[in-house]
Structures are given as structure tokens and as C-alpha cells.
Amino acid sequence: MSKTEVSTVAGSEPHIPFLESGSYPVRHGNIVRPLVDSAPTFRRICEAIETAQHSIWLNITFMDPDFQMPDDRGTLFDVLDRAVARGLDVRVIFWRPNLESSGYGQAFPGSHDNREMLAARGSLFRARWDRAHGYFCQHQKCWLIDAGHSSETTFIGGINPTFKSFEPGHMGEGQRHDVFVEVIGPSATDVHHSFVQRWNEASERMEEGGVWGHNGDDELTFPTRVSVPRGDSQVQIQRNVYAGRYSNSYPTPGGSSFDIAAGERSIFGQYKQAIDAARSSIYIENQALPVPEISARLEEALKRGVDVVLLVPAEPEPYVRASRQHPDSKSFFDSLEALGRYENFALVGIAGLNGQGERSNIYVHAKIMLIDDAWATIGSCNLHWNSLFGHTEMNAAFWDPKVVRSLRRQLLSEHLGQDTLQLTDRKALQLYRNIAHENRLRGARGDFNWKSLAFTLDPTTYGK
């Protein structure tokens, strides 16, 4: 993407700079609706499916065939089968793990048992399976409703249909916190383009057992026009794609041809640019600890006086604990501990009150970043090495202070039990830090009767 293309965006460039290298341009005129936690997200997606007039296309990484959609809608396959019965074009791209990546999670790899199940159901949607390079995975999670039509809408994020759906305010043991975003308008065209690129080049399309409901010759055409403006948000669809995974560089409408065969790292590039430009606050929710390239930039922001809150799983994943014991990982954890030496930083977890009067950790699966109440990104990309340098990922970055402030208010209300509407972004993160610290002290005394969910974690012992 050239500077000329960036300059066509309405208004002047904000202090969080636009990314100038990637498959997709910044587009003005979008509606952006963040969706917090899985039940509200899947409820909204199901509503969109039920009113769809033309098509339902989606990418799936992990799924549980028995996962129940909200409000007695049944499983994902029940929802998709009903859409097919209404005459809609329903297509799914499933990730097929390689042997070295088969332990990541519950995939739907198109095994003999999977196909027997689909046959027994009489499922008629179309599916293709797609591998990633080596031990990486196809980690994008996006849904496209009526792609290319006036009723088009898209959903991008990190939520998998695997764990029990829950409502905000009803978090507890075994539950997850996560975020998705609905994007309607010109940037939906780029999600459309990405799906076509992946569908047409899905690795297994010509392999035995690599498709369902059609043959491997059923290709889609790339979009030829940009969807009409629907709102006021500036959005850029950004991706990480491993080199050599796809080859067709046919450009998105209004964009330039991008050499996708060489790979794409636009999410990583945007993360770095945004952190470097931060003036007052950085709020991060991520399943993983930041890689050193990100941690170093966060430390520079802290030195500038920026307030930083990093929300992660309170109970680290096993690989984090294993890494703590490995001498080669010392520099990784040193960079995390360096952040903890700044008063304007907090490493935080969340926990809900269970029925025994104790706290149960809530797993943080979200992949979001909010900066200065002005810019945010929501998507599938973790801050660990695999997501940034190997997995196929998709995020939606958006420049809209009104939407970002509203999202900040919603997230902090959920985690703090207080409305931060009247606070600046800096004051809101300072409140977050103070409440979380007090909750940690109370928890150490055996007092778990806090109204909020957040409590601070010690960077020097996290993962030990």
C-alpha cells in the first residue's frame, strides 16, 4: 500500500500512524462493534446468520462438535445446516494440523470419524481443509455474512466454539474471557478478499478427504468493488501469513497488489508502530506474554510515562512454566521482569468468586490492545512467537476514539466493577492498577470478597 492510498482516507493521519505495508488499505466509513465474551458474540453471529440472504463463510481453527450456541440454537453444525436448508451458500475452511502441530487444541481435521459424522447428519455445507507450515496453525477466526452484498457483515476475533458460552458478569470456574469485533462497511471487502484467497488455495482441496460437499474445482471470484460506507470508523484489516503459504497476489478493490507469497507481517508491524506512538495509556489483553521485541517497546513507553496494564491468564499455560525452567528463556522473562520495575505498569489476572467463597481464575483468551483511547486492535493474534512469525492470523485495527473509549469502559467495568466513563484513559488504568493491587493484598490475607475480578500478578514469579 502506498502513501497515496493512505492519504485517501478521510481526515488527517492520527497520532497512532497507519500501517503502510500490507495486503489491505486503511478504509474510512465502517461500523465497528466490539463484542465481549463468547455468549454475546455467538448470539450476535447467530442473529446475523438467521437474517442472512445469500451466504455464510467462516474460518475455523478449533471446535468442539458438541459446543452449544446460545439460546438453544444447538451446535455449530445445526446452525450451518439450517442455513443450507434455507438455500444459502455455506462454506467453511477448517484447519488440518500437521503431525507436529496436532497437540495444539481440538481441531476438526476432516478425519474418517469427522466425515462419518457429517454424513450421518446429512450436512450439505461446503468445506475445505487447509494446512499451515510445519508446527504452525491456521489461527484466523472470521465469519462473513452475505459477502459482497448490501446485507454484508463480518466478524473477526479469537473466540473458538470450544468452551462453554457465558455472559459477562457471570464468570466463574472453567470460564474464559474473550473478545470479537463486528465490522460492516468497506473493510468487510478485505475480509472477503482474504477468504477467497484462502479458499482457492486451501492446501487440501485436491487431496483425498480434503473437501466436503463439492469438488476441489469450486473456486470463488475475488471481490471487484468496495462495499459502501456504513459508519464513521477507520479500519485496516491486518494479517500475519507465513511465506509460501499462498501465491495469488490479485489485489483487493482499491488496493495494490501485495506479494503474499513472500509472507505478511502487518499485525506485528502495527503492534510496534502503535506502541511506539503511545502518549498516555496502553491496555493489553492477551493469552500470551509479549515477545522481547514487544516488551522492549513497552518498556520505552513506560519510560515516557505511559501507563500500561497487561491482562494475561492468572494461571500460566504449561509451556510458560516449562520455559521458566529453561536457561535459554532467561532473556524472555528478564524482559517481563523489567516491566515490573515501573510503577506505571501492572501485570494482571482475573478471577471470579465461586460457590465456596473462594476465587477461580478466569482464563484470558482475548487478543486486544487499546492505546490512548484513540486506537485499538482486535483479532486472533497472540503476542507470542508462533502467532507473530508462523501462524496465519487476522486482526482488525481501528482508529475511532468514540468506539475505543466505549470498549475501554465496558472492559474495565467488567473487571473492576466500576464505571470509568468520567475518567481519562490514564486515570482509568491507574484505577485498574490500584484496585488490582488491593485485591491481591486481600487475597493474600484470605479475603476473597472483592466486588471486582482483577488482581495483580508478580512478574518475577509468574510461571514459576
Side-chain angles (χ1 to χ4, degrees):
M1 176 177 36
S2 68
K3 285 183 176 292
T4 301
E5 286 161 343
V6 171
S7 68
T8 63
V9 178
S12 58
E13 185 168 338
H15 77 277
I16 305 295
F18 299 131
L19 190 71
E20 296 189 31
S21 176
S23 292
Y24 305 120
V26 180
R27 300 193 193 269
H28 183 74
N30 298 281
I31 295 172
V32 174
R33 295 175 180 152
L35 298 162
V36 178
D37 295 318
S38 59
T41 296
F42 285 124
R43 179 174 295 114
R44 173 67 194 114
I45 289 174
C46 286
E47 290 170 353
I49 290 173
E50 289 160 1
T51 59
Q53 302 172 34
H54 304 279
S55 62
I56 312 295
W57 301 345
L58 60 149
N59 298 328
I60 290 288
T61 305
F62 306 113
M63 69 164 293
D64 178 354
D66 297 322
F67 175 86
Q68 296 293 306
M69 290 296 191
D71 310 319
D72 299 318
R73 287 182 167 92
T75 68
L76 170 63
F77 292 141
D78 291 330
V79 171
L80 298 182
D81 288 344
R82 287 195 296 268
V84 173
R86 289 201 294 118
L88 302 186
D89 175 27
V90 180
R91 301 172 187 251
V92 188
I93 302 175
F94 292 105
W95 170 50
R96 175 169 287 174
N98 296 321
L99 181 63
E100 56 267 51
S101 59
S102 60
Y104 280 173
Q106 188 172 2
F108 191 78
S111 65
H112 175 75
D113 289 346
N114 292 159
R115 301 172 72 82
E116 289 260 312
M117 185 200 75
L118 293 178
R121 293 182 54 87
S123 293
L124 299 176
F125 59 81
R126 305 180 187 194
R128 291 187 176 186
W129 279 267
D130 198 16
R131 296 186 187 271
H133 176 78
Y135 62 84
F136 300 119
C137 80
Q138 298 285 8
H139 202 239
Q140 291 178 353
K141 292 97 173 174
C142 63
W143 304 63
L144 299 82
I145 314 300
D146 289 346
H149 297 273
S150 60
S151 50
E152 173 185 65
T153 187
T154 62
F155 300 88
I156 302 159
I159 305 177
N160 300 298
T162 50
F163 287 81
K164 177 183 176 183
S165 297
F166 60 91
E167 304 280 0
H170 295 83
M171 294 184 175
E173 187 171 3
Q175 295 182 331
R176 290 189 166 204
H177 169 62
D178 219 329
V179 181
F180 238 73
V181 64
E182 182 176 6
V183 177
I184 306 172
S187 288
T189 300
D190 301 321
V191 183
H192 180 177
H193 178 278
S194 179
F195 186 90
V196 171
Q197 189 177 64
R198 285 198 58 193
W199 177 268
N200 289 351
E201 297 193 59
S203 65
E204 308 302 281
R205 67 192 184 281
M206 296 299 179
E207 301 295 327
E208 183 177 357
V211 301
W212 178 264
H214 70 293
N215 61 44
D217 295 326
D218 178 25
E219 292 204 344
L220 293 168
T221 58
F222 283 102
T224 57
R225 58 182 176 82
V226 180
S227 297
V228 299
R230 300 286 298 278
D232 299 319
S233 296
Q234 295 177 112
V235 176
Q236 186 177 32
I237 302 302
Q238 298 169 343
R239 301 187 298 179
N240 288 343
V241 178
Y242 197 86
R245 190 60 211 85
Y246 306 107
S247 61
N248 192 335
S249 296
Y250 188 89
T252 190
S256 300
S257 179
F258 182 83
D259 184 10
I260 194 63
E264 181 172 356
R265 292 288 174 268
S266 55
I267 298 175
F268 187 43
Q270 182 69 78
Y271 276 146
K272 293 186 290 185
Q273 282 191 187
I275 294 170
D276 289 348
R279 296 172 178 174
S280 57
S281 68
I282 300 174
Y283 177 75
I284 299 171
E285 296 183 1
N286 209 272
Q287 182 185 5
L289 296 173
V291 296
E293 294 95 322
I294 297 294
S295 292
R297 284 177 156 81
L298 290 174
E299 184 171 9
E300 289 303 311
L302 290 165
K303 291 177 181 178
R304 298 195 302 270
V306 175
D307 282 272
V308 179
V309 168
L310 172 58
L311 176 66
V312 296
E315 177 61 31
E317 290 198 23
Y319 80 87
V320 176
R321 295 192 180 280
S323 295
R324 268 285 193 186
Q325 308 306 314
H326 203 289
D328 291 346
S329 301
K330 184 178 184 303
S331 62
F332 178 91
F333 291 99
D334 284 348
S335 64
L336 174 67
E337 294 176 20
L339 302 180
R341 292 194 281 270
Y342 294 83
E343 292 184 357
N344 46 332
F345 173 78
L347 183 70
V348 181
I350 52 176
L353 195 63
N354 62 27
Q356 289 73 48
E358 298 176 343
R359 289 276 162 173
S360 296
N361 292 330
I362 297 164
Y363 190 78
V364 175
H365 192 258
K367 303 97 168 54
I368 68 173
M369 185 182 297
L370 285 66
I371 293 182
D372 294 351
D373 265 2
W375 172 91
T377 183
I378 297 174
S380 65
C381 186
N382 287 301
L383 292 175
H384 60 42
W385 197 93
N386 285 357
S387 278
L388 294 173
F389 303 109
H391 295 340
T392 301
E393 307 282 4
M394 177 179 287
N395 277 34
F398 51 96
W399 292 256
D400 189 324
K402 182 178 179 181
V403 175
V404 178
R405 282 195 298 270
S406 177
L407 176 58
R408 181 259 290 175
R409 179 188 179 192
Q410 182 180 4
L411 292 169
L412 269 60
S413 177
E414 179 179 87
H415 300 163
L416 303 182
Q418 294 191 29
D419 191 349
T420 59
L421 174 64
Q422 303 303 322
L423 298 180
T424 65
D425 57 313
R426 186 188 295 278
K427 290 293 186 183
L429 291 201
Q430 290 171 355
L431 177 67
Y432 198 121
R433 189 169 66 240
N434 292 339
I435 289 176
H437 179 66
E438 177 60 28
N439 288 341
R440 177 188 174 189
L441 295 178
R442 292 176 67 174
R445 298 193 299 266
D447 174 9
F448 299 108
N449 191 30
W450 347 308
K451 181 180 178 182
S452 56
L453 303 174
F455 63 101
T456 55
L457 304 167
D458 186 351
T460 66
T461 60
Y462 187 77
K464 289 186 176 179

